Amino acid sequence: RVRNKPSIELNLYPTSLHSFKLMTDNFKNSHTKTAGEQLEYQNKAEGVHAVNHECSDVFEAMKLRRKHKYIIYQIGDFEVQVEKAGGRNESYADFKASLPFSDCRYAVYDQEYTTHDGRPASKIWFISWFPVNSTPYNKMAYTTAKTHFREAIPGVFDAMASSLEELDGVLGPDGKGARKSDEDDDDDDEDFDF
């Protein structure tokens, strides 16, 4: 005697407009790496992106007139553009808070510090912000556009960071440069056996 096995029917094709909408909404949900942000890329990784004239104007205002503490740039649909220019009174913590958790950016930061002999000095850093949880296409887009974009930002030190800890390693925990502790200055030979 042959038993009829219950058949399982897989419906891979939507049968109504409502089920199609539900199916496509599931694919639009945010991925866990984007921290809830919906990120769209329109072939950003392909081609050379134009640099908006505002990018170099804002940079010159920062470099020559000391108008900004930092500038954050983003790749738009077809060009690199200024996302945010931080005022002179903003802190290093404000700069770090302006960097997105899951999207790449370029940043220029004016690091003010005191030299070992007590003179005030400053360095301007170009920072490529590539967080670990950014998508590969986003990293490719920013890597490809960097060479062309760097021509508009001359005379700065180059750095790359993928986390806030790496950024602190470059700029120091307070944004005023990495400082040696008193323990590092000791020239004791007690760690070595002679």
Side-chain angles (χ1 to χ4, degrees):
R1 183 173 151 156
V2 177
R3 277 189 157 164
N4 290 337
K5 294 182 180 176
S7 64
I8 299 173
E9 192 174 306
L10 295 175
N11 187 3
L12 298 177
Y13 301 101
T15 55
S16 69
L17 183 61
H18 178 69
S19 61
F20 179 74
K21 186 169 170 82
L22 288 175
M23 191 169 108
T24 56
D25 286 345
N26 288 337
F27 288 115
K28 288 182 184 175
N29 286 340
S30 300
H31 192 272
T32 57
K33 286 187 173 185
T34 62
E37 298 177 33
Q38 282 288 333
L39 303 178
E40 296 179 11
Y41 305 99
Q42 298 176 354
N43 296 328
K44 286 183 182 179
E46 298 176 5
V48 177
H49 299 280
V51 178
N52 190 330
H53 65 87
E54 183 189 11
C55 294
S56 55
D57 293 344
V58 172
F59 175 71
E60 290 300 320
M62 174 186 188
K63 188 175 181 181
L64 300 177
R65 291 185 274 148
R66 309 298 236 177
K67 190 173 181 182
H68 305 291
K69 182 73 172 170
Y70 63 88
I71 307 166
I72 297 178
Y73 301 95
Q74 72 176 1
I75 295 180
D77 292 336
F78 303 105
E79 64 183 3
V80 180
Q81 55 200 11
V82 175
E83 180 182 27
K84 181 179 181 183
R88 209 59 210 157
N89 56 354
E90 292 199 29
S91 67
Y92 179 60
D94 296 331
F95 168 64
K96 291 195 306 187
S98 299
L99 295 170
F101 178 71
S102 60
D103 200 6
C104 297
R105 291 289 187 271
Y106 301 125
V108 177
Y109 182 76
D110 187 6
Q111 177 188 34
E112 296 174 345
Y113 63 97
T114 306
T115 61
H116 66 283
D117 58 351
R119 291 179 294 122
S122 69
K123 286 183 185 177
I124 297 179
W125 290 89
F126 178 83
I127 299 162
S128 301
W129 175 249
F130 296 150
V132 175
N133 54 353
S134 179
T135 64
Y137 292 111
N138 197 10
K139 290 178 184 179
M140 285 173 26
Y142 277 84
T143 302
T144 309
K146 180 181 177 182
T147 306
H148 184 65
F149 179 64
R150 279 287 279 126
E151 294 172 3
I153 311 291
V156 295
F157 293 95
D158 217 8
M160 189 186 98
S162 59
S163 67
L164 295 176
E165 290 80 21
E166 285 183 14
L167 191 63
D168 288 344
V170 173
L171 300 175
D174 56 355
K176 297 185 187 267
R179 299 189 188 273
K180 286 185 172 182
S181 66
D182 292 334
E183 296 171 6
D184 292 342
D185 292 337
D186 293 339
D187 289 333
D188 295 349
D189 290 331
E190 60 190 45
D191 293 338
F192 301 101
D193 293 330
F194 290 103

